[in-house]
Each structure stands twice: as structure tokens, then as C-alpha cells.
Amino acid sequence: MTGKKRVVSGMRTTGKLHLGHHHGVLTNWLKLQDDYDCYFFAADWHALTSEYQDPAIVKESTRDIFIDWLSVGIDPEKATLFIQSEIKEHAELHLLLSMITPLPWLLRNPTYKDSQSDEGQGGDDATYGFLGYPVLQAADIIIYKANLVPIGVDQLPHVELTREITRRFNHLYGDTFPVPEPILTELSKVTGLDGRKMSKSYNNAILLSDDETELKKKVSSMVTDVQRARRKDPGDPEKCNLFPLHPLYSNKAEIDEICAACPKAEIGCVDCKKILLKNLIAGLAPVHEKQRYYRDNDKLLDEIIANGNAQARAITRETMLEVRKAVKLG
Ligand code: TRP
Ligand code: SF4
């Protein structure tokens, strides 16, 4: 591990993973695990900030998400995979960081501010835990003395806050943590069935675990090029909601053919969808096979999680000894 920069990232456990995760975050994690000392975790405490009224989904998704990670090739031999709530030191550091985090920093955090506006959920999100979300995220990151944090652009304000909190800690108690840098994950071009961002909350996602029947239903319901109302209208793959999936699943000949035929109305969306469906089913088959393997091997999954948790704990224990000394509690 020596010499490698350390990477930390988490994923909230609020449901099963979809193709947006697969071709955005996970593709990126797959590259990072080869070159860096990676810590990837299931952020179940963060999930509770939104799911506290119906928390069963959090635990259920944690296992599903681990299975999905492993099934796309995230490798426990290369990266440390663990569950946030199993590493209690995150909570202790969160508490200590909350002492030094000025309230205005949190009140102006866009995630919090927007949720309190008219369009936001208002009351439901007005909890102490939700306001402190970025403080917990800061603890998650710096407890591993991370150098790099891969995130989507929506998470940038949170990592910026992590950096500010880290500087403040170092200033008050002496240099303890590196100030981590964000790495922006390129946005996935894959959008949802309805053309909006693929998201569980919009109910427009193709899940990594969808079976053939489900895939068929979803692909046929997918919005394509909205300008193309009739079969004889020319289409434009550039403006088509479905097309970005082709480069991920179809071969070059098929893609060339679609790009040539669609603008001349020589192929209809129904046939184009058929090609995609066939390739999607074939492309996801190895993932589905691994999902079945891990689902049928509860013990193996338990072992992978327990090992990752133990590796993570070994580091956080050390860090907290140092932190307690720094704040004169140790
Ligand atoms: N807030 C992140 C998200 O919603 C998840 C997260 C929690 C995270 N802790 C983190 C990401 C630490 C990176 C590093 O996507
Ligand atoms: Fe999109 Fe294919 Fe229809 Fe063209 S033919 S608009 S690429 S679904």
C-alpha cells in the first residue's frame, strides 16, 4: 500500500443500484481500485437522514449494494469495502467535528438550503442529522486520511465543506489530517426511461438486477427522440434518450447502422429498441450470474463485509487515538 494515494468514497444505501450508478460511479471506482488505496463504503447512516421514517430499506439495500459492487467487478482484494455504521469511530469523529463546525457553514450548504425552500420537503428534512450530513461526510473521509474523494458534481459543496472543516481542525489542534481533494466523476450520459436523470425517486431507473421481463418492459416504455412522433419522421440519435445506451451495450456495426438509418427514418424505434434489449440482456448476463452467486452464498458475502470492516476499523482506531490526543481527551 505504501506510496499509493488514498481514496475514500461512499454510496448511500437507499435502494438497489441502477445503470446510472453502473456507468457513472462504478466505472470510475473500477479504474481507481487498480491505482489507489481505495476505501469504498455503504453509507447507511447517511441513508437514514432521508429514510428514517421507513428504515428497513437501508439494511436491505446495504446487502444488495454490496452484491452489485462485487458483481460489476469491485474487488475486495484491491479495495477495502465496508459498512459505515459498523465503524463506530466515524460517529465519534463526527461528534468532535461538530464542535468546531460553525453553524452558518451548514445552513448555507445547498443540499440543506434547497430542501428547506418551497420546492423542498421542508419539515421532513429539518432534522439535526440532515443539517449535519456534511459533517458526518467529513468524518468519513478524513478518518482514513484520504487524499482523494471521487464524487459527482452534486457532492462538490460537501467535499468543499470537508476541506474547510479539515483546515479548521488542523489549525485548532495541530496538523492531523491531509486536506482531501475531490475527483469529479464524469456524469453518465445514461438517462432514465422518461428522459430525466436516472433516479430511484423518479421511478425511471433500469436496475442492475432487473430480469429479462423487467428489462423488456422498461426498454419498450422508454422515451426516444421526442421530435420523432411517427415512424416515418426522421430521428436524431444525438437527441434520443435511449441512444446513449447503445455505445455501452451494442457493437460498432449496429451503432453505425442505427446512426445512418435513424436520421433517414430507415429504422424505427421499435426495432432499435429490440437491438438494444438483446444486447442489454447479453451485457448484463455476467453481472446477473454473479449476483445470483453472491445471493446464494450468504456466508461468503458476510465474510467479505466482515474483512472489509476489520480493515477499516484498524485504521480508524489508530486515527482516533491521535485525534483524542489532539483534542486533549486522550
Ligand atoms: N453524500 C454522498 C452521496 O450522497 C455519500 C457519501 C457519504 C460520501 N460519505 C461520503 C461520498 C464520503 C464520498 C465520501 O453520494
Ligand atoms: Fe432513438 Fe433508435 Fe429511435 Fe433513433 S431509432 S430515435 S436512435 S430509438
Side-chain angles (χ1 to χ4, degrees):
M1 291 300 143
T2 44
K4 279 189 184 173
K5 283 195 174 175
R6 189 165 284 175
V7 166
V8 171
S9 199
M11 209 182 262
R12 278 158 38 88
T13 54
T14 55
K16 293 193 164 82
L17 299 189
H18 53 62
L19 295 189
H21 296 115
H22 184 19
H23 300 294
V25 184
L26 294 179
T27 312
N28 198 39
W29 286 13
L30 284 172
K31 285 188 214 137
L32 293 168
Q33 70 176 0
D34 288 327
D35 299 330
Y36 296 98
D37 182 20
C38 289
Y39 290 75
F40 298 134
F41 67 96
D44 54 352
W45 277 332
H46 276 112
L48 269 187
T49 61
S50 61
E51 310 302 315
Y52 63 91
Q53 288 169 330
D54 201 0
I57 182 79
V58 174
K59 184 155 191 190
E60 202 181 296
S61 328
T62 299
R63 274 189 100 73
D64 287 339
I65 283 177
F66 259 89
I67 290 178
D68 287 347
W69 288 353
L70 297 167
S71 301
V72 301
I74 304 292
D75 183 349
E77 298 290 321
K78 294 181 181 169
T80 300
L81 311 177
F82 64 95
I83 299 177
Q84 181 187 37
S85 68
E86 293 288 330
I87 319 297
K88 310 300 179 195
E89 288 83 355
H90 287 225
E92 185 184 357
L93 184 56
H94 167 238
L95 179 108
L96 293 175
L97 296 180
S98 76
M99 304 301 169
I100 67 164
T101 305
L103 204 44
W105 291 7
L106 300 177
L107 291 169
R108 64 169 178 254
N109 163 37
T111 322
Y112 182 77
K113 225 167 96 191
D114 297 350
S115 79
Q116 301 310 303
S117 71
D118 292 346
E119 305 92 65
Q121 288 178 301
D124 279 3
D125 273 353
T127 62
Y128 177 48
F130 185 63
L131 179 67
Y133 185 113
V135 185
L136 178 58
Q137 186 159 345
D140 296 338
I141 296 168
I142 67 177
I143 204 162
Y144 299 95
K145 301 195 173 178
N147 309 104
L148 300 166
V149 188
I151 38 140
V153 65
D154 61 309
Q155 292 293 312
L156 257 187
H158 291 164
V159 177
E160 200 39 61
L161 261 168
T162 296
R163 290 163 56 80
E164 286 173 35
I165 295 170
T166 308
R167 285 193 205 100
R168 190 162 161 86
F169 187 101
N170 288 343
H171 171 73
L172 287 167
Y173 306 121
D175 251 336
T176 309
F177 300 109
V179 179
E181 306 263 354
I183 326 180
L184 267 195
T185 302
E186 219 179 297
L187 274 188
S188 165
K189 290 194 184 70
V190 175
T191 40
L193 304 177
D194 54 4
R196 292 186 292 171
K197 183 179 175 204
M198 193 175 277
S199 156
K200 176 198 137 197
S201 50
Y202 294 153
N203 207 6
N204 65 355
I206 299 179
L207 303 181
L208 263 175
S209 48
D210 278 341
D211 62 12
E212 282 190 28
T213 320
E214 205 59 37
L215 289 173
K216 190 169 180 190
K217 213 161 60 191
K218 289 189 178 172
V219 170
S220 42
S221 78
M222 233 177 144
V223 171
T224 60
D225 173 356
V226 286
Q227 304 290 319
R228 196 175 184 197
R230 285 154 304 194
R231 168 67 180 81
K232 66 176 188 335
D233 295 337
D236 182 355
E238 290 289 315
K239 296 197 182 116
C240 173
N241 172 51
L242 172 139
F243 184 75
L245 284 166
H246 274 298
L248 297 167
Y249 292 94
S250 303
N251 66 39
K252 184 163 182 315
E254 289 166 322
I255 296 165
D256 288 348
E257 166 64 18
I258 292 163
C259 288
C262 168
K264 292 188 270 176
E266 284 169 4
I267 181 172
C269 295
V270 173
D271 287 325
C272 188
K273 285 178 169 180
K274 270 192 197 140
I275 301 172
L276 177 66
L277 181 65
K278 167 185 70 101
N279 296 330
L280 197 55
I281 291 171
L284 289 178
V287 177
H288 289 166
E289 195 180 316
K290 287 200 190 151
Q291 283 171 339
R292 276 193 296 275
Y293 172 73
Y294 288 110
R295 267 191 222 119
D296 295 344
N297 274 285
D298 263 347
K299 276 225 183 85
L300 176 62
L301 187 61
D302 289 343
E303 216 177 277
I304 291 172
I305 296 176
N307 279 338
N309 288 345
Q311 285 172 34
R313 234 173 253 134
I315 293 179
T316 61
R317 277 214 191 104
E318 289 297 313
T319 307
M320 287 315 293
L321 289 176
E322 208 181 320
V323 167
R324 287 180 210 120
K325 272 213 189 86
V327 302
K328 310 291 180 229
L329 292 174

